Every structure is written in structure tokens, then in C-alpha cells.
Amino acid sequence: MNNKAMLNAYPDSLGGRLNQAAAVLEKPEFRDAFRSFYILPSVFHSDLDRGFSVISYELNRSLADEDSLERLKALGLDLKMDFVLNHVSVLSPQFQDLLRQGEQSPYRDFFIDWNRFWEGHGQMTAEGYIQPDQELIQSMFFRKPGLPILMVRLPDGRDVPYWNTFYQEVRYPALTAPMLMNRLGLQYQEAVKIAARFNAAVNSSTPFEEISLDELEPYRGQTTALLQEKREYLGQMDLNIRSPLVWEYYRDTLMKLAAYGAAIVRLDAFAYAPKAPGRHNFLNDPETWELLEEVKGLAQPLGLSLLPEIHSSYAEGIHCKLSHKGYLTYDFFLPGLLIDAIERADASYLVSWAREIRKNKMKVVNMLGCHDGIPLLDLKGLLPDERIQELIDLVISRGGMVKNLHGQKNVYYQVNATYYSALGEDDRKMLLARMIQLFMPGTPQVWYLDLFAGRNDLEAVALSGSAGHKEINRTNLTMEQIDAALTTKIVQDQLSALKAYNQCMAFDPDGQMHIEMKQADQLVITWEKQQKTARLVANLSTLSFQASMDTSAGAFVLQQD
């Protein structure tokens, strides 16, 4: 992969479709500002989680087509795309085949039958699933309360539990009087009464056994069976990596991504894929590393670089393990360290981290904002706990939102906010943060909304319901909004700096980097290679800086007084 600046956006983030995004990148203001483009997975045929519940890796026809990919490649852009290793949508062809054919489906073992997995390691419940032995399950990590299962109705009438780590929803159709008359032999008024009571129960999430049917009680079982037969599902089903068909699916997907023009494949949810009774079932060691090596064996002949995505605290050292094993690594520490440095006018922790990256020869992709949030708890072990909490409180005070798991604030990954709002919507802070990012080790990934100094979108959050916190930083921009933003200094300066960065040989990964502090608030970073130099002198107290770069087009200087 190249180490030049990478744009990060959804296919509909810039203008509404990927073709419009290509048109934006063809504008003179954008030419040469980016050398790669991370397109988030709603570019694929998907349903939930804005793309991360993949139905298939065919292009999403409502947002993208082959022509739009060709336009991006014509600009010289490498593409970065997602591959979700742990799960697929319940609407995937494989899972839908299982629903249709049950035991006769070739995909019977493509997914994880909970009872087969736990056979001999627990007790069967009246509900039809095995409750694992307590000593085997007590240390397991689950993303949601309760056991991670979805009860699936197969054609033979059995409810079979399948492993479901992430989202699930069961939907029942609305009953009609004709439907019940034809199926149960009811008279019209009887059918109307039963349909009304069952439909009300579905709408209020009342268990079917609690519905009052009076003289029509004999029809409860048949009506319930009809509803269960016709129920539909939403969600993501975990894949059984012991199945040869899953590995065929992995290979075929990587080939498809390479054909689209991908150079980097971001591996999402890979740490959940290896499972074993009694294990943590998140980043199992050595099984997770064995999985990654097998996937790498499929990817390398296709010219694909892998970027495994995982959130963990600095103290756990997972980033080091990934790096030592030769993988690209996300620098999830930089976003919080930069806010800390700018708000406190103290670069000491930032400098220490930069030196550690260089000392350990880590290949990182860094960022400010992204499609999720600002990962502040990743800093545990790198920043003092009280300093992390102050960062969290600060971002929330500026309109950020906390994502919890199980309602516990000690297990969320990030605070959801735009980076611009997290910095107090201050243009000077935003530009200083961007310049420091460019001078830090690694490949700079740029979230499109940061580039346009996007503010927290609280209206989008309100429209998205209880799970809409991420929409705070996912505003789709119209072409008119983009054109207006291109006239602003904060956008123009960032684009100018990105172009110069891409044209400066000094930033090559094997260039020499020197970073120092004259005082806690005075940062100096220098890169050198083959007599080409890039230098940043910044004062965190005054937010002033001077950046100079020797580029192929000549000397570039940008300063903020």
C-alpha cells in the first residue's frame, strides 16, 4: 500500500452516490489531495448498520456501479474496502437457503448451530437451547445481554438456536381474517377477533401465551404456529469458520474486492470469529492469529494488504501483537492524544507515543474522526485514568454522546462526536490537529466530515431513535454544501496541506523522523529523506504553527499565527 493521504467516506457521503463522490474528487480543489479512498461497506448489498450487515459483496445498485469505481481508479486512487469476517446478514443467500431447506441446505453448517457447538457442555432448556455450564461461560464476552442466540424456525417446524453475536430482530406478519379463515377454517367474525388480538400482542411485544382468547382458545396453538412459520428476521449471523464453505466464501469475497480495485482490505469483527467452549471468544489466542494468517494466505496472491480492525486498551498491547505479526495497525490512540495535547497545551504524551511507533517500526493508519466515534478508552494505560475521564467529559460537554454496552459505562468504545465539535468548533484547533496528524508516523486517513469542519448533527441523532448516536458524525453532504465549503479557509488549507504531504518524499516510511518538545507546549517534528525535508513547529498554547515541506512542485509553507 502507499502511505499517502486516504479519504474515508460512505458512498453517499459526498453528493448522494459514489459517482458524485468521484465528481467531487475530480474537482481541481481535490486533485492530488488523496491517493486512496476508503469506501465504507454500504457500497455493498447490505441492510443494517449502514453497511456492516452485508447481504452480499455485490455493489449496492442504489449507491454505486462499476463506472463509479472506474472513475475513482482513473484518478489514481487505491481503494480500501471492508470484509466482515465474523458474520453475514440473515438476508444473505446462504442463510435464506438454510431457512428454506433446513437440514437439506448445503449451508447447514455455514452458520453455528448453538446446540451442536455446546453439545456435552450444558443442559437443554425447555425453550430448546443448551444453557452452557457456568464454569465454561462465565468468562465469555458477549456484546449484548443474555446468550448470543437467535431461535430459527426450520421447515420441519423445529426452532433451532444459531449463534448471533450482534443485532437481531424477529418480525411477525400482520394477520388478516382471510388468512385465518383459509388456514384454520374459521368464520369471518371469529377470524377478525383472533387477528386483532394477535396483532395487538405483536405490536406490544406481549407473549402469545398471554393473549386472552376466551371461547376461541382452541385456536391459540394453530394461530401461533402460523405466525411462527411466517416470521422474518433481521440481524447478522455468525459464520462457522470450521466449515470449508466459509473458506470458499472468504476466498471468493477477497477475489471480488480485488477485482473492484481494492488494495487494502479492512477486516471487521475478525476477533469474534474463532470460538471454543470455555474461551473468552473475543481475540482467542492462538486461534485468532491462525485465522488471520489463513486469510493473509488468501489475500497476498491477490495483492491485498490486510488491516485488522480492533479496539482494545493500550495496556492490553493488542496493537503491538498485530504489528509484530506484520499487519497494518490502526492508530486509535492519536485522536484522543491530540485533543488532550491541544486542550492542555501539553504534547508530552503525544511525543512519547510517536517515538514508540518509530522505535517499534509499527505500520499504522492514523486518523482524527471516523465513521464510529472518538476512541478515548483505548488510551487506558497510555494516559492516566483521570485524564481520560476529563477528555470524555470535555467531548460530552461539547455535544458528544456516549455509546454503552449493556448500559455499563466502563465498556463503551468511544464518544460519538465530530472531531471539529470535539475541539470546540474552533478552526484554528482543527487545522493544527490536521497538521500534527500529517507529521505523525503512519498513513493519514481523513474522515470527509472533518475535512469540511462538520458539526455534531443532533437532528440526525433525534431522527434515528435510540440507536442513532453514531449519526452525529455521518451527515451526508449535498453538492451545494460541498461547493460552499470549498470557499472556506479551513477546507482550503487542509486540502493544500494534504496535496503537499502527498508530494513530499520526506514522509516516506523509511524517512528519518525527529520529534521533540522545546517546552511542554512547543512541538517540533522534522522528516528527512534524500535531502528533502518537512518540518512542523507548533505552539499548543497559542495554536500557532509553521509547516514547511519540500515537494515535487517546490517549497510549500503553511502557517497559522
Side-chain angles (χ1 to χ4, degrees):
M1 63 169 290
N2 69 65
N3 72 314
K4 307 305 182 184
M6 177 192 305
L7 180 64
N8 179 199
Y10 291 99
D12 50 343
S13 293
L14 301 170
R17 283 181 57 90
L18 193 59
N19 260 324
Q20 278 67 50
V24 170
L25 291 167
E26 289 166 350
K27 289 176 176 288
E29 297 93 333
F30 272 87
R31 282 279 186 165
D32 299 322
F34 297 100
R35 298 289 173 81
S36 55
F37 186 6
Y38 171 22
I39 311 172
L40 282 151
S42 55
V43 71
F44 306 126
H45 183 201
S46 54
D47 49 15
L48 306 171
D49 200 15
R50 201 156 178 183
F52 283 95
S53 180
V54 178
I55 297 171
S56 78
Y57 286 87
E58 299 299 322
L59 293 178
N60 178 350
R61 292 194 294 264
S62 66
L63 298 180
D65 54 29
E66 294 282 358
D67 287 344
S68 56
L69 294 178
E70 291 303 318
R71 287 178 69 177
L72 294 172
K73 287 187 279 188
L75 290 169
L77 294 170
D78 291 334
L79 301 183
K80 173 181 165 186
M81 291 179 161
D82 277 285
F83 182 19
V84 185
L85 289 185
N86 181 69
H87 53 264
V88 296
S89 167
V90 300
L91 298 180
S92 65
Q94 298 89 343
F95 196 75
Q96 290 300 304
D97 189 86
L98 173 63
L99 292 178
R100 285 192 301 270
Q101 299 196 62
E103 291 287 345
Q104 305 308 312
S105 171
Y107 299 104
R108 176 68 179 83
D109 295 319
F110 195 83
F111 305 95
I112 303 173
D113 182 323
W114 178 269
N115 287 346
R116 289 186 181 183
F117 181 91
W118 287 102
E119 187 174 3
H121 298 290
Q123 298 296 317
M124 182 64 70
T125 66
E127 291 80 7
Y129 62 84
I130 290 177
Q131 175 63 50
D133 295 333
Q134 181 60 29
E135 64 270 17
L136 295 178
I137 204 171
Q138 60 188 3
S139 65
M140 290 179 65
F141 173 72
F142 294 148
R143 288 273 309 193
K144 56 192 178 187
L147 296 178
I149 57 177
L150 175 66
M151 299 301 292
V152 176
R153 175 62 60 95
L154 297 185
D156 59 9
R158 293 182 303 121
D159 286 330
V160 178
Y162 276 88
W163 201 306
N164 162 251
T165 293
F166 291 88
Y167 179 82
Q168 67 167 253
E169 182 180 347
V170 178
R171 293 180 175 179
Y172 294 95
L175 292 176
T176 65
M179 186 187 300
L180 292 173
M181 291 170 66
N182 292 332
R183 182 68 172 262
L184 278 62
L186 293 167
Q187 292 186 348
Y188 179 73
Q189 295 300 333
E190 293 173 326
V192 168
K193 184 176 181 180
I194 291 179
R197 295 191 181 185
F198 270 85
N199 289 339
V202 168
N203 292 334
S204 62
S205 300
T206 300
F208 296 155
E209 61 269 19
E210 296 180 10
I211 300 172
S212 175
L213 293 178
D214 303 321
E215 75 281 1
L216 297 175
E217 178 63 32
Y219 297 102
R220 180 190 302 276
Q222 291 173 283
T223 306
T224 299
L226 174 61
L227 275 172
Q228 297 293 10
E229 176 187 316
K230 295 183 176 296
R231 71 190 183 207
E232 297 179 344
Y233 312 93
L234 283 176
Q236 300 110 316
M237 303 310 297
D238 289 38
L239 300 178
N240 177 14
I241 62 173
R242 294 186 177 90
S243 166
L245 285 181
V246 168
W247 285 96
E248 288 183 25
Y249 166 77
Y250 280 0
R251 183 186 65 249
D252 292 346
T253 299
L254 289 170
M255 291 175 65
K256 185 176 289 291
L257 299 182
Y260 287 149
I264 308 168
V265 174
R266 175 185 178 272
L267 299 180
D268 184 76
F270 74 93
Y272 293 94
K275 300 174 174 67
R279 304 296 299 280
H280 188 54
N281 287 299
F282 178 78
L283 205 71
N284 286 351
D285 190 353
E287 294 88 349
T288 303
W289 310 114
E290 293 168 353
L291 170 72
L292 287 180
E293 285 302 301
E294 290 189 62
V295 174
K296 183 194 287 187
L298 298 176
Q300 283 184 329
L302 300 171
L304 298 173
S305 296
L306 299 181
L307 177 55
E309 188 270 350
I310 185 171
H311 281 281
S312 61
S313 71
Y314 173 88
E316 293 174 273
I318 303 302
H319 59 288
C320 292
K321 285 187 179 181
L322 283 168
S323 179
H324 292 335
K325 292 179 181 293
Y327 294 99
L328 295 171
T329 308
Y330 268 119
D331 181 359
F332 285 130
F333 310 115
L334 179 63
L337 288 175
L338 260 177
I339 297 174
D340 176 81
I342 290 172
E343 296 297 335
R344 288 178 173 270
D346 177 6
S348 55
Y349 287 98
L350 180 70
V351 168
S352 176
W353 171 234
R355 288 171 176 165
E356 183 176 339
I357 296 174
R358 296 294 288 178
K359 177 182 177 182
N360 294 328
K361 299 180 179 179
M362 298 173 64
K363 296 179 181 178
V364 302
V365 173
N366 64 40
M367 69 194 73
L368 302 181
C370 68
H371 71 280
D372 270 343
I374 302 171
L376 298 180
L377 284 191
D378 291 48
L379 293 169
K380 280 186 170 291
L382 185 55
L383 275 184
D385 284 355
E386 62 275 11
R387 199 150 163 163
I388 295 172
Q389 188 58 52
E390 289 175 7
L391 274 177
I392 293 170
D393 294 341
L394 176 66
V395 177
I396 290 175
S397 74
R398 291 172 172 171
M401 309 186 79
V402 173
K403 170 187 176 182
N404 295 337
L405 290 179
H406 305 190
Q408 302 175 48
K409 290 189 176 181
N410 62 332
V411 290
Y412 59 75
Y413 291 146
Q414 61 262 322
V415 179
N416 297 101
T418 70
Y419 208 77
Y420 183 65
S421 289
L423 288 171
E425 300 180 359
D426 185 315
D427 285 7
R428 289 169 59 80
K429 290 180 180 179
M430 186 70 224
L431 186 58
L432 175 59
R434 178 70 70 212
M435 295 311 303
I436 295 175
Q437 179 199 9
L438 295 182
F439 275 78
M440 286 290 288
T443 298
Q445 179 176 294
V446 177
W447 182 237
Y448 75 101
L449 212 52
D450 294 346
L451 184 65
F452 290 101
R455 292 177 166 84
N456 286 339
D457 192 342
L458 300 180
E459 180 179 353
V461 172
L463 292 173
S464 300
S466 60
H469 52 278
K470 292 183 180 180
E471 298 306 313
I472 199 170
N473 188 27
R474 297 178 175 181
T475 307
N476 285 346
L477 301 176
T478 66
M479 298 299 279
E480 292 75 17
Q481 288 172 319
I482 291 167
D483 287 339
L486 286 173
T487 66
T488 64
K489 187 175 186 301
I490 181 59
V491 176
Q492 293 171 354
D493 284 348
Q494 287 185 80
L495 287 171
S496 296
L498 287 162
K499 292 178 183 181
Y501 170 87
N502 290 334
Q503 297 169 354
C504 183
M505 180 187 295
F507 289 114
D508 282 0
D510 57 351
Q512 296 298 311
M513 177 196 182
H514 305 280
I515 184 167
E516 59 182 318
M517 293 185 300
K518 300 290 187 181
Q519 298 178 28
D521 64 345
Q522 296 180 25
L523 181 65
V524 180
I525 308 176
T526 304
W527 287 82
E528 296 176 314
K529 183 178 180 181
Q530 296 181 6
Q531 299 181 327
K532 299 294 184 181
T533 302
R535 182 177 176 84
L536 174 69
V537 180
N539 186 308
L540 302 180
S541 293
T542 63
L543 306 178
S544 60
F545 69 80
Q546 183 175 58
S548 59
M549 305 178 198
D550 293 333
T551 77
S552 55
F556 169 83
V557 177
L558 180 65
Q559 67 182 41
Q560 180 166 271
D561 297 325

